[in-house]
Amino acid sequence: MKKTILAILTLFAISMQGQEITIFTGSNYTEYSFQNPAPTAENFSAEGMGSYIEIGYRKKLGKKTKKSISYNLGFNLNEYNANTGNLANFYSWKTSYFGVRNGITIPVLYVGNGLEFDLELGATINAIVHGQQNINGMIYDIRKHEEFYGLTGWLDYGFAVKYNFNKNIKLAVGYSLSENYQLSSEDLWHNIYNPNGTEEIENVKFDNRRLKLGLILKLNNWIKWKNLYT
């Protein structure tokens, strides 16, 4: 019985090789670009800062080496905030989006002493969960506004620097750039026409810069099966 349990735990530990849990938090620096196709409309932009948090799973592909590309799956919550105005008027937007991100991590340079430089590419599907607009002190719920409502896709690219703090934990710092694209059927073509194809409507574009800090937990190293049965 003891040998059977040990064999099962051995196979489980092998299956965990190259798999990690990731926890990241940081800040989003977002620019809103409001665009209206109407010839007489005025386009403008606003910018601001919000928070970011993501919990994810990472698995190395192919051979489990330091040069292996990793697949990433993460669940994140992002605040995309902005404000603008002048002496007479003040405008601000506070929005929160829940998203699912798929991506890859490509090792670029391994310095030694546990220091690693990676390139990161990803795509996220987001949906708004909270949205408020403030116009001169008047608060409006914008979750159902066509500029914000529906699914949005985000493409991101950036880099990360990682350090092996110990055999179980990596520390990471990263920076990325991203922008959004409307995906829902109602909004897919709203840059030009509304669903009836007769009326021009406003669109908002997000450009985002993200600075993040994180912990990466190596799953196989957390399994202390040798100490349990020896």
Side-chain angles (χ1 to χ4, degrees):
M1 182 65 177
K2 192 174 178 180
K3 290 183 179 180
T4 301
I5 294 176
L6 182 58
I8 293 173
L9 289 173
T10 301
L11 291 173
F12 182 69
I14 292 173
S15 69
M16 291 293 102
Q17 185 69 30
Q19 300 185 48
E20 300 169 330
I21 295 296
T22 60
I23 304 171
F24 282 96
T25 185
S27 297
N28 289 317
Y29 302 89
T30 310
E31 180 179 359
Y32 286 34
S33 297
F34 292 90
Q35 300 174 349
N36 193 317
T40 58
E42 180 180 357
N43 299 324
F44 66 96
S45 62
E47 59 183 18
M49 184 176 71
S51 62
Y52 154 82
I53 186 170
E54 180 175 282
I55 299 176
Y57 165 81
R58 179 173 296 168
K59 177 178 176 59
K60 287 186 177 181
L61 304 176
K63 294 182 178 180
K64 309 302 188 291
T65 69
K66 294 176 182 178
K67 297 182 180 180
S68 298
I69 294 175
S70 297
Y71 164 74
N72 310 312
L73 173 65
F75 299 91
N76 54 52
L77 185 64
N78 287 278
E79 289 182 346
Y80 301 117
N81 302 329
N83 58 76
T84 188
N86 50 41
L87 293 177
N89 298 292
F90 174 78
Y91 307 90
S92 72
W93 296 263
K94 294 183 178 180
T95 62
S96 298
Y97 284 77
F98 176 78
V100 179
R101 180 181 182 272
N102 286 271
I104 59 172
T105 298
I106 305 172
V108 176
L109 181 63
Y110 190 83
V111 178
N113 297 323
L115 194 61
E116 178 184 334
F117 295 84
D118 295 339
L119 176 65
E120 297 189 333
L121 307 172
T124 302
I125 302 298
N126 271 349
I128 192 169
V129 293
H130 171 77
Q132 285 188 343
Q133 182 183 41
N134 184 333
I135 302 178
N136 295 330
M138 298 295 293
I139 306 298
Y140 304 91
D141 187 343
I142 58 174
R143 287 176 297 172
K144 297 298 183 179
H145 287 197
E146 52 198 348
E147 303 100 307
F148 298 90
Y149 178 74
L151 295 178
T152 59
W154 291 73
L155 297 180
D156 66 84
Y157 59 94
F159 68 89
V161 180
K162 300 170 186 174
Y163 174 70
N164 288 326
F165 182 73
N166 59 39
K167 64 180 181 179
N168 296 323
I169 300 174
K170 294 180 183 179
L171 305 179
V173 59
Y175 181 81
S176 64
L177 303 174
S178 60
E179 58 181 338
N180 74 319
Y181 300 89
Q182 293 289 349
L183 298 179
S184 67
S185 59
E186 292 184 4
D187 297 333
L188 185 59
W189 302 110
H190 80 236
N191 289 358
I192 303 175
Y193 301 107
N194 72 349
N196 296 324
T198 58
E199 181 183 344
E200 296 171 322
I201 60 177
E202 188 178 78
N203 176 37
V204 59
K205 184 74 173 177
F206 295 177
D207 290 296
N208 190 64
R209 296 165 289 142
R210 176 179 298 140
L211 180 64
K212 62 182 182 179
L213 300 172
L215 294 176
I216 301 173
L217 311 177
K218 301 178 183 179
L219 286 180
N220 57 300
N221 286 339
W222 284 94
I223 303 173
K224 304 299 184 180
W225 55 270
K226 287 185 179 179
N227 296 329
L228 296 177
Y229 294 96
T230 56

